[in-house]
Amino acid sequence: MSKMAEMAQTIEDLRTAAASINAAADWLYQQFSGEDDSKQQKSKSAAKKEEPKPEVKLEDVRAVLAEKSRAGHTAAVRALLQKYGAAKLSEIDPANYEALLQDAEVIGNGS
């Protein structure tokens, strides 16, 4: 592997790690935000009523795919990317992120 390819892979790995850390920080913030249970229940019920579908971002997909790859499903992740017509995640059309994420979540679940 050339030095440039190694550097590119290292950069990709760092971005994946950063996305995973960011997702973990968001989850921790939500869990320990200091709101009492009654406020959380009210905000959850209000959110269900007007729940707009959140946009799936590249970082979200990258974090899930990196987790699956680290769990030993690298070949399945590559096959999934090829299914969407790309050799790497950055080549995938953002309109396909939600479907890709749904397909990725079943990798390794025995389905």
Side-chain angles (χ1 to χ4, degrees):
M1 186 180 282
S2 71
K3 291 286 185 188
M4 290 303 291
E6 287 179 25
M7 182 61 71
Q9 182 61 44
T10 301
I11 291 169
E12 187 68 25
D13 291 345
L14 286 170
R15 287 183 174 151
T16 300
S20 297
I21 291 169
N22 194 25
D26 289 344
W27 181 84
L28 285 170
Y29 175 77
Q30 289 174 353
Q31 297 301 312
F32 302 104
S33 63
E35 293 182 356
D36 64 358
D37 287 339
S38 62
K39 286 183 182 179
Q40 287 180 352
Q41 291 297 330
K42 288 178 184 177
S43 66
K44 284 181 184 178
S45 63
K48 286 181 183 178
K49 291 178 185 175
E50 58 185 73
E51 187 175 317
K53 199 167 195 177
E55 180 180 332
V56 178
K57 297 178 185 172
L58 174 67
E59 293 80 18
D60 301 329
V61 179
R62 179 175 281 129
V64 170
L65 293 180
E67 180 181 323
K68 297 295 183 179
S69 184
R70 281 190 299 270
H73 304 288
T74 304
V77 169
R78 284 190 181 131
L80 189 58
L81 292 175
Q82 289 176 351
K83 174 183 173 183
Y84 287 90
K88 55 185 180 179
L89 180 58
S90 61
E91 296 172 351
I92 298 211
D93 182 2
N96 293 328
Y97 286 168
E98 184 174 352
L100 174 63
L101 190 59
Q102 289 175 352
D103 287 346
E105 288 176 347
V106 299
I107 293 175
N109 292 342
S111 300

